[in-house]
Amino acid sequence: MSKFPAGFLWGAATAPHQVEGNNHNSDFWQAEAAMPGMERSGDACDSYHRYAEDMRLLADSGCNAYRFGIEWARVEPEPGLVSRAELAHYRRMIDTAIDLGLTPVVTLHHFTNPRWFAAEGGWMGERAVERFLSYAETTAAILDGVPWVCTMNEPNMLAIMTMMARLAASGQQWQSPTVDDGARPVLPSPDPAIGRRLVDAHHAVRDLIRERTGAKVGWTVANQALVARPGGEEKLREVRYVREDLYLEGAKGDDFVGVQSYSSMWVGPDGIEPHPVRPDNTLVGTAYRPDSLGLAVRHTWEVTGGTPVLVTENGIATGDDERRIAYTSAALDGLEAAVADGVDVRGYLHWSLLDNYEWGHWAPTFGLIAVDRETFVRTPKPSLAWLGDLARRNGGR
Ligand code: FCB
């Protein structure tokens, strides 16, 4: 018997820059060209043209929801200059999802900014909130029939990226948020001033989208499932606040909060412990910790004071699809237990639908579907059929 409520969303997620291809007008495209060691996104998965095929594969598997994003750099190529053609493109994506029986979960911002926005000072620029609000106002016009809107993806990670972009601008080494070789370094804690700015931007856009559309609005927070070693309890509270809880508190009063969870990390008296190289690590150097989803969902529920949860990302970078199924199955056990304990969970969206461009790297494969990077041929992996079957039974196993 499944513990998942009726109407539960089952599906997968992608982000525009990682799958569309040729996102020329974005700051990340620019960074890829400038940063040593970064691979280019190039044509990515060419989902800009092939989204209907991607959605059909997801719908045919038995899943009922798709999370995808709208790319600001395409919709507003210059400040105040709106591309009606791009808006129409994203409207076609929404219609295609609905026609296929997939509930669209739409993200307005997933890490990438228009180049001009970055040049204006990015998220700490004087006009940042006003600019984002104006873009949201433009996109609100095409969101009819979209029941779930995520204003911003992983603001806590975006804050770190904003900090790193500043370092790069001052001539220091930039580092991709997901490295794929060596011991996984601990990313620096984000500056809380950036976090507060992002909270303001989120609240402004949340109010506007609520006013203009019938959508439930939230944002999606990267949850690191931090756990204290004996003696690390005080440090845990401190690092968790700047890395996570500030953003979860920003979700209080939202219609839902997106939980994004992959792994877990230990916190000792000196801070977060770098995770060592181990044979069972994932392809992004993180620990194999399917239990992190249950920890993340419970922590989110507690800090947000009972805001409904939508799992907007959970998955594993692996070349072994059986391992993906084992990981996901164990993660769902933890999710089901949280539901049984009273956490209001509305859906599970796996990261990712496709093997895609992992922010500077192509090697870490998170997809339920493999993509040939020259022919763009899609090859579903057994995990897609597995997740779709589960969706048909609403998680009954
Ligand atoms: C999350 C991002 C997503 C993807 C996964 C692996 O931090 O939101 O775009 O990179 O990690």
Side-chain angles (χ1 to χ4, degrees):
M1 263 297 289
S2 159
K3 302 269 185 325
F4 296 106
F8 199 77
L9 300 182
W10 291 97
T14 58
H17 189 77
Q18 295 179 269
V19 298
E20 287 181 344
N22 299 301
N23 190 15
H24 300 148
N25 196 39
S26 72
D27 59 349
F28 208 92
W29 180 274
Q30 207 170 12
E32 289 168 25
M35 300 301 165
M38 275 184 105
E39 291 181 284
R40 303 298 308 262
S41 54
D43 287 325
C45 304
D46 192 31
S47 289
Y48 184 84
H49 300 106
R50 294 165 202 261
Y51 65 85
E53 183 185 350
D54 298 338
M55 291 189 199
R56 181 170 295 284
L57 289 170
L58 182 61
D60 285 351
S61 77
C63 285
N64 61 25
Y66 183 41
R67 173 176 176 233
F68 59 93
I70 296 177
E71 181 60 56
W72 184 4
R74 293 190 197 273
V75 168
E76 195 176 357
E78 300 289 339
L81 181 76
V82 172
S83 167
R84 301 288 154 198
E86 295 291 3
L87 278 178
H89 166 84
Y90 288 109
R91 183 62 228 181
R92 281 194 297 276
M93 285 187 75
I94 293 166
D95 287 335
T96 304
I98 294 171
D99 289 349
L100 287 165
L102 295 170
T103 297
V105 177
V106 173
T107 308
L108 301 184
H109 184 277
H110 195 127
F111 291 163
T112 44
N113 305 302
R115 286 185 188 206
W116 59 261
F117 179 82
E120 264 186 9
W123 285 101
M124 294 312 274
E126 257 172 51
R127 302 183 67 180
V129 175
E130 175 200 334
R131 294 295 199 194
F132 187 48
L133 195 59
S134 155
Y135 156 68
E137 196 167 4
T138 303
T139 46
I142 60 153
L143 295 177
D144 218 36
V146 174
W148 303 86
V149 171
C150 311
T151 60
M152 228 179 246
N153 179 74
E154 295 190 351
N156 45 344
M157 190 55 86
L158 178 64
I160 294 177
M161 291 167 85
T162 303
M163 248 172 39
M164 286 177 165
R166 277 183 179 169
L167 285 181
S170 63
Q172 296 181 54
Q173 179 67 41
W174 186 93
Q175 186 187 37
S176 166
T178 51
V179 292
D180 58 354
D181 47 9
R184 188 172 169 88
V186 175
L187 294 170
S189 285
D191 176 352
I194 303 177
R196 285 191 288 272
R197 169 62 62 88
L198 298 179
V199 170
D200 287 348
H202 165 59
H203 287 167
V205 169
R206 176 191 68 190
D207 296 349
L208 176 116
I209 299 288
R210 272 180 174 162
E211 196 186 295
R212 301 285 169 93
T213 77
K216 291 188 242 322
V217 192
W219 69 353
T220 70
V221 179
N223 196 301
Q224 293 143 77
L226 299 171
V227 181
R229 297 264 192 217
E233 295 80 4
E234 192 46 46
K235 198 69 185 172
L236 171 67
R237 267 189 293 280
E238 184 191 315
V239 297
R240 193 149 67 176
Y241 182 75
V242 284
R243 299 174 83 94
E244 220 164 274
D245 293 357
L246 187 159
Y247 303 85
L248 292 175
E249 284 176 4
K252 284 183 178 169
D254 290 2
D255 302 308
F256 73 94
V257 54
V259 168
Q260 315 212 145
S261 159
Y262 293 88
S263 187
S264 168
M265 285 191 292
W266 294 105
V267 181
D270 299 328
I272 297 180
E273 297 177 2
H275 182 65
V277 177
R278 286 182 37 165
D280 64 341
N281 280 354
T282 74
L283 291 177
V284 286
T286 51
Y288 179 85
R289 290 290 301 273
D291 59 322
S292 63
L293 181 60
L295 295 171
V297 159
R298 288 171 194 270
H299 180 68
T300 299
W301 179 249
E302 198 186 303
V303 178
T304 60
T307 302
V309 164
L310 181 62
V311 177
T312 38
E313 289 185 20
N314 170 250
I316 176 171
T318 176
D320 174 355
D321 199 51
E322 276 178 29
R323 200 156 184 253
R324 184 178 338 278
I325 294 175
Y327 172 92
T328 309
S329 179
L332 287 169
D333 287 343
L335 187 64
E336 198 167 11
V339 171
D341 286 345
V343 181
D344 179 0
V345 184
R346 306 292 176 90
Y348 174 85
L349 305 173
H350 191 81
W351 184 271
S352 178
L353 181 61
L354 306 171
D355 283 344
N356 59 40
Y357 177 69
E358 181 52 32
W359 307 112
H361 309 277
W362 279 99
T365 43
F366 280 93
L368 301 167
I369 299 175
V371 179
D372 183 306
R373 291 201 25 236
E374 281 178 16
T375 62
F376 307 110
V377 166
R378 273 76 171 134
T379 308
K381 304 177 191 177
S383 52
L384 177 66
W386 175 84
L387 186 65
D389 277 350
L390 211 56
R392 287 201 174 94
R393 298 192 303 271
N394 197 27
R397 280 174 279 171

